[in-house]
Amino acid sequence: TGPLPVQNTVPPAPLPVQGSAPPPPVWPAGNAAQPVALRPSKKIRIWPIVTAIALCLVLALGITAAVGINTYRRIVSQVDTAVAAEDYAAVVELYDQNPWLGKVRDEAEQPYSNGMLLLEQGKYEDGAAMLAPLGDYKDAPKAAAYAKAIIAEDPYEQYLEFKKLGNYRDSIERLTQTKQKIFREAKGLIGQGEFAKAKTYLMGLPDGYPQRLDYLNLIDEWGDAKTSPAYMRIFAEDCTALGVDIPPQVGSDCLIYF
């Protein structure tokens, strides 16, 4: 008998020590089954939100504790009613009597009400200055433009501004009045010999405005009138027919010639 063959055997893995965690699995490089490491999730910090809410609650509780809950509700209700009715005088008075309203209401509400009250009192320049910084709050931009249109010295500028405002407040009625004012101003400008400015005024009026075309034709005639005394005489006669003063450009010599 010969020697027994030696068998290739793998020694058994050592048993885990009691109380210790098993070693993590080792994955071969490039193995698709290897899990991808998860990104750590961002923690949402809620303390700024909680702080803001807490401050609002503290402020509200402090005000209600100072004035009383029933008084607080009554005054806030009065402001809501006055705002809905556009009773700006009442809103301004309530804010003046209760300064704490500025801490619990919209911060633009008080200056807006002050500006609109100034418009109602005819203080258009002060009202426009109060409303202009409020941006797009309610109708503040239109209200400021309305006030500026009223105090504009040039009737043509007034006309253009009211035309932009459409049916805001009484802009249509004021636009009609401004048209008449522009027309009278244009006639005066023709009599003063300021034909270019008069034409600008007349061109801004609607096409169907009464006698608009007649005065535009008269201005166009001035170009021919300057060429000869005969045309100048026609121009002077048309001025008289349309109720316009004969412009100084016609000259005293030409008037004597006529």
Side-chain angles (χ1 to χ4, degrees):
T1 62
L4 293 175
V6 179
Q7 295 181 351
N8 294 329
T9 61
V10 178
L15 294 174
V17 180
Q18 187 174 4
S20 62
V26 180
W27 298 89
N31 191 340
Q34 184 175 3
V36 179
L38 297 177
R39 294 181 179 179
S41 59
K42 294 183 179 180
K43 295 182 179 180
I44 300 176
R45 299 187 178 186
I46 63 172
W47 65 266
I49 301 174
V50 174
T51 302
I53 295 175
L55 289 174
C56 292
L57 290 174
V58 169
L59 177 62
L61 291 174
I63 293 174
T64 53
V67 302
I69 186 64
N70 291 332
T71 302
Y72 174 85
R73 290 176 177 174
R74 175 176 57 80
I75 294 174
V76 170
S77 177
Q78 289 176 347
V79 176
D80 289 335
T81 301
V83 169
E86 297 183 354
D87 187 354
Y88 303 112
V91 177
V92 170
E93 183 178 1
L94 286 167
Y95 267 93
D96 290 342
Q97 294 175 352
N98 306 279
W100 52 265
L101 281 171
K103 299 179 181 179
V104 298
R105 306 281 297 187
D106 192 329
E107 62 180 8
E109 186 174 70
Q110 184 178 13
Y112 172 80
S113 300
N114 279 320
M116 297 302 288
L117 180 60
L118 289 170
L119 295 190
E120 291 181 351
Q121 295 173 346
K123 301 175 182 178
Y124 299 110
E125 188 172 357
D126 294 336
M130 181 73 71
L131 294 168
L134 299 182
D136 294 332
Y137 183 77
K138 293 187 177 182
D139 62 342
K142 283 190 173 182
Y146 173 83
K148 291 179 180 178
I150 292 176
I151 61 179
E153 295 181 0
D154 187 347
Y156 188 63
E157 182 182 348
Q158 281 187 324
Y159 170 75
L160 294 178
E161 291 300 323
F162 284 129
K163 191 175 181 181
K164 293 177 186 176
L165 290 171
N167 61 349
Y168 179 75
R169 297 173 75 90
D170 60 345
S171 294
I172 292 180
E173 180 181 350
R174 289 183 179 273
L175 183 64
T176 302
Q177 297 172 356
T178 307
K179 288 178 184 178
Q180 299 170 355
K181 190 175 181 180
I182 286 179
F183 188 73
R184 292 193 301 268
E185 189 75 13
K187 288 176 60 176
L189 290 170
I190 294 174
Q192 297 167 15
E194 299 185 28
F195 302 107
K197 191 173 182 180
K199 188 171 184 178
T200 299
Y201 278 31
L202 292 169
M203 290 295 292
L205 294 174
D207 291 341
Y209 195 85
Q211 289 191 298
R212 169 182 177 269
L213 189 58
D214 294 332
Y215 287 95
L216 286 173
N217 290 335
L218 179 63
I219 293 173
D220 291 338
E221 286 179 7
W222 170 246
D224 295 330
K226 292 187 294 184
T227 60
S228 70
Y231 279 107
M232 194 168 287
R233 177 170 183 163
I234 294 173
F235 174 77
E237 289 174 350
D238 289 342
C239 285
T240 303
L242 291 172
V244 176
D245 293 337
I246 298 176
Q249 286 92 326
V250 173
S252 57
D253 294 341
C254 292
L255 290 178
I256 293 173
Y257 173 79
F258 299 153

